[in-house]
Amino acid sequence: MVIRICGVNIIENKSILFALTSIYGIGKSRSKLICDNLNINYYIKVKDLNKEKINIIRKKISNFILEGDLRREIMLNIKRLIDINCYRGIRHRKKLPVRGQRTKTNAKTCKKLRKFKK
C-alpha cells in the first residue's frame, strides 16, 4: 500500500518523523511539530499508521504551503529580486553566492555552474 501526501509517495519502512521530510517544505522541525500536535509517536513506522491517522496528517499538512506552490513562491521571490536590481538580485543573476560567502577560494560550485557570455 503506497501512501501519498501532497502528491509525494511516502516511504512505508521509515518512521513518520523522517518520512514526512520527503515532502518539499517539511523539514525535521516541522515534522516534529506536526507529530506533537497530533500526539503521534515520532518513531512509529508509516505502515503501522491506520487510515484515520493518515487522514488527520493530510488535513494538518494542508494548512502549510508545500511542494509546487512553495517552489513557485521561491522562484517568484528570486525573480522579484532580480527585477528590482538589488544586490541579492544581481548576485542571483550572476550565479554567485548571495549570502556574503567569500568567492576567492570557496565558491567552486557557483563558479562551475556559472555560464559566461562571450
Side-chain angles (χ1 to χ4, degrees), residues 37-68:
N37 288 343
L38 301 177
N39 295 325
I40 297 173
N41 185 5
Y42 299 146
Y43 302 107
I44 191 168
K45 301 276 185 186
V46 175
K47 62 185 176 189
D48 296 336
L49 290 172
N50 56 10
K51 292 192 180 211
E52 297 169 7
K53 289 277 190 184
I54 293 170
N55 288 332
I56 292 171
I57 291 171
R58 279 193 186 116
K59 197 174 286 186
K60 182 71 175 176
I61 285 178
S62 66
N63 297 334
F64 299 112
I65 299 172
L66 301 171
E67 282 297 319

Side-chain angles (χ1 to χ4, degrees), residues 6 10 15 33 35 42 46 48 59 63 70-71 87 93:
C6 291
I10 302 296
S15 62
L33 181 90
C35 290
Y42 299 146
V46 175
D48 296 336
K59 197 174 286 186
N63 297 334
L70 182 61
R71 291 178 205 262
Y87 180 76
R93 188 181 309 131

Side-chain angles (χ1 to χ4, degrees), residues 14-100:
K14 287 189 173 184
S15 62
I16 190 68
L17 178 70
F18 297 107
L20 288 177
T21 60
S22 62
I23 300 171
Y24 185 80
I26 296 182
K28 195 172 173 187
S29 61
R30 188 172 277 185
S31 180
K32 276 186 179 179
L33 181 90
I34 291 167
C35 290
D36 285 340
N37 288 343
L38 301 177
N39 295 325
I40 297 173
N41 185 5
Y42 299 146
Y43 302 107
I44 191 168
K45 301 276 185 186
V46 175
K47 62 185 176 189
D48 296 336
L49 290 172
N50 56 10
K51 292 192 180 211
E52 297 169 7
K53 289 277 190 184
I54 293 170
N55 288 332
I56 292 171
I57 291 171
R58 279 193 186 116
K59 197 174 286 186
K60 182 71 175 176
I61 285 178
S62 66
N63 297 334
F64 299 112
I65 299 172
L66 301 171
E67 282 297 319
D69 295 334
L70 182 61
R71 291 178 205 262
R72 193 174 309 110
E73 186 177 322
I74 291 171
M75 289 306 298
L76 287 173
N77 288 340
I78 292 172
K79 187 176 182 319
R80 178 182 52 83
L81 291 172
I82 291 171
D83 289 343
I84 63 174
N85 272 338
C86 68
Y87 180 76
R88 285 174 54 204
I90 292 168
R91 301 295 282 184
H92 273 293
R93 188 181 309 131
K94 291 181 180 179
K95 305 235 189 293
L96 289 169
V98 177
R99 297 185 178 178

Side-chain angles (χ1 to χ4, degrees), residues 1-5 8-12 46 51 54 58:
M1 182 175 105
V2 177
I3 297 171
R4 287 181 65 82
I5 298 176
V8 177
N9 291 336
I10 302 296
I11 300 170
E12 295 180 350
V46 175
K51 292 192 180 211
I54 293 170
R58 279 193 186 116

